[in-house]
Amino acid sequence: MGAYINFDLIDTAELCGIDIRRSTLSNDEVEARCPYCCDHRYRMYLSRLTNMFYCHNCGTGGNAVTLYSSFNPKGVCLKNYESYNALLNEPSVGRHDVPVQPEKSNAQIREIEERSEIYTELLKLLRLEKEHCTNLLNRGLDSERIARNMYRSFPTDNAERQWICDSLAARYDLHGMPGFYRTDGIWHIAAFKSGILIPIRNKQNLIQGLQIRFDNPPVKRVTTPEGITIEKIGTRFMWLSSSKQKKFEGTSVPSYIHITGNRDSDTVYLTEGGLKSDVASYLSGDKLFIGLTGVQNTGFLKEVISSLSPKRIVEAVDMDVRSNPQVRKAQVKIQAICAPLCETYKRLFWPIDQKGIDDLLLFRKLKKEYEEKIRKGN
Ligand SMILES: [Zn+2]
């Protein structure tokens, strides 16, 4: 591991029988029919410069290994590392040495542009498992939005995760990237339990960091002051971070705030959670939402609100937690930060049987659909 081989994309495409526009074969950008969306207009571009492909019709992108995993001559579906190993035995596919960007010396978190680029490339190498896709659909998102927001399943298979990391490390310096750490000169992605990766974006839609929504939140053992050990359900969301691997050049993530929806809107809806904000924004016709990664995580709140400069701010923290004194305290703090930065600040209320603003919006949508169905039936 570590010595990652970059297989030639065009050789691989030829081997996979991809329909290439022959007249473009000597160009830097070779044009092909995209096999993912069965495009007929040669809208897939295979770059000789980056050795990556991208379809301008369906948005699918990747490298030789990605392509081979789905369209190899045997017609079998391979995992990325299986595809990589199979390509090692393909004599017709050339190999490249790709220069890695010069290494950064300090352990500071990387600039947002670099972070966003590397995280985006990471996400392109990952899949969204069916059960995770179903989970997102059940929240009210549609498949187009799920694809656009780039949710992915965290790779729990060690060999696959290492393959993905080798592939990234061959092209990028991973210093200062939360979620990555290095031992004996080899970069790794920190291990987490299975879950959905959620990009946490900024005003420019760049990825600030990735959060994981665990399928099963970890169970924590806590000892009470009375000396009794009890099991508590741990947190459902966590940053993709390598703060635990600080000794191994790991990097932690500060509590960035997610921004989603129409950035030009003069009304900002404030809630807790990146995924919740995405869903609520989608279900409300792309209203501008910001999602704190915890009601107490207000470190960037002033900066974010100032950059969006809204007229109105509507706070929509989950109804069911508002009786919690800690949450109430946090709500007061949020209001104290936000109110001076807008003309009107208000708190949204709804019946408590709908926990979050996303649940409320989904309930309304389903109710409307149901009523329409009944009306048509009569
Ligand atoms: Zn396509």
Side-chain angles (χ1 to χ4, degrees), residues 103-374:
E103 292 189 352
K104 297 271 179 345
S105 56
N106 54 3
Q108 294 293 311
I109 192 163
R110 294 283 279 279
E111 291 297 326
I112 175 68
E113 287 80 10
E114 294 178 315
R115 231 182 308 141
S116 184
E117 183 182 344
I118 295 171
Y119 280 138
T120 302
E121 292 305 312
L122 167 66
L123 295 176
K124 282 184 190 168
L125 295 169
L126 301 175
R127 298 180 298 272
L128 182 66
E129 303 291 353
K130 208 172 169 198
E131 79 243 37
H132 288 152
C133 187
T134 306
N135 179 305
L136 296 167
L137 288 169
N138 288 342
R139 288 165 190 273
L141 293 168
D142 72 357
S143 46
E144 191 262 324
R145 184 59 61 101
I146 290 170
R148 201 211 292 178
N149 287 354
M150 292 191 87
Y151 305 112
R152 295 289 191 270
S153 301
F154 183 77
T156 48
D157 181 285
N158 290 338
E160 185 178 20
R161 198 170 59 250
Q162 190 58 50
W163 174 84
I164 289 161
C165 193
D166 290 345
S167 165
L168 271 183
R171 295 166 51 217
Y172 296 100
D173 168 24
L174 298 177
H175 278 104
M177 284 298 295
F180 297 88
Y181 67 99
R182 186 159 75 157
T183 57
D184 300 324
I186 296 173
W187 285 100
H188 310 279
I189 300 174
F192 288 91
K193 294 253 187 295
S194 65
I196 307 173
L197 283 169
I198 300 149
I200 301 298
R201 297 180 184 271
N202 72 359
K203 191 186 171 187
Q204 286 76 32
N205 211 36
L206 297 174
I207 300 178
Q208 312 184 79
L210 298 171
Q211 281 222 310
I212 305 173
R213 180 195 181 274
F214 293 119
D215 298 335
N216 302 298
V219 176
K220 289 193 297 187
R221 284 217 169 78
V222 235
T223 308
T224 64
E226 296 83 32
I228 307 161
T229 303
I230 50 164
E231 287 194 340
K232 262 183 140 181
I233 292 180
T235 170
R236 173 73 80 174
F237 291 87
M238 209 178 253
W239 285 104
L240 175 70
S241 155
S242 40
S243 57
K244 284 184 186 158
Q245 292 88 359
K246 275 267 165 70
K247 277 188 198 159
F248 304 102
E249 303 173 80
T251 309
S252 56
V253 200
S255 297
Y256 294 122
I257 294 173
H258 181 53
I259 304 180
T260 183
N262 176 14
R263 268 68 167 178
D264 297 325
S265 170
D266 60 5
T267 305
V268 165
Y269 289 80
L270 183 154
T271 187
E272 188 187 0
L275 182 55
K276 189 188 297 282
S277 317
D278 280 342
V279 172
S281 174
Y282 173 71
L283 291 174
S284 61
D286 283 330
K287 283 195 171 131
L288 176 57
F289 270 79
I290 64 169
L292 308 183
T293 55
V295 276
Q296 276 127 346
N297 296 334
T298 52
F300 288 100
L301 187 55
K302 193 176 173 187
E303 186 185 319
V304 165
I305 295 293
S306 303
S307 77
L308 295 169
S309 53
K311 275 189 189 157
R312 280 174 296 276
I313 298 176
V314 182
E315 185 244 272
V317 166
D318 280 3
M319 282 302 291
D320 63 324
V321 295
R322 292 191 197 182
S323 54
N324 177 326
Q326 298 289 346
V327 175
R328 279 201 198 152
K329 237 191 216 171
Q331 283 181 299
V332 171
K333 190 173 175 197
I334 290 168
Q335 183 165 2
I337 295 169
C338 291
L341 301 172
C342 62
E343 287 170 24
T344 49
Y345 182 93
K346 72 169 190 180
R347 190 169 294 164
L348 209 60
F349 292 89
W350 59 89
I352 199 161
D353 47 338
Q354 303 301 329
K355 201 165 95 62
I357 181 76
D358 54 335
D359 302 313
L360 174 72
L361 291 165
L362 180 60
F363 171 75
R364 282 190 187 155
K365 181 182 171 231
L366 295 175
K367 194 175 162 207
K368 205 174 145 199
E369 284 171 6
Y370 174 74
E371 283 167 357
E372 266 165 28
K373 209 172 121 192
I374 296 287

Side-chain angles (χ1 to χ4, degrees), residues 18-34:
I18 307 298
D19 184 353
I20 292 173
R21 184 174 266 165
R22 311 312 295 183
S23 59
T24 63
L25 252 180
S26 56
N27 299 357
D28 286 343
E29 298 269 1
V30 177
E31 295 166 25
R33 282 182 170 164
C34 171

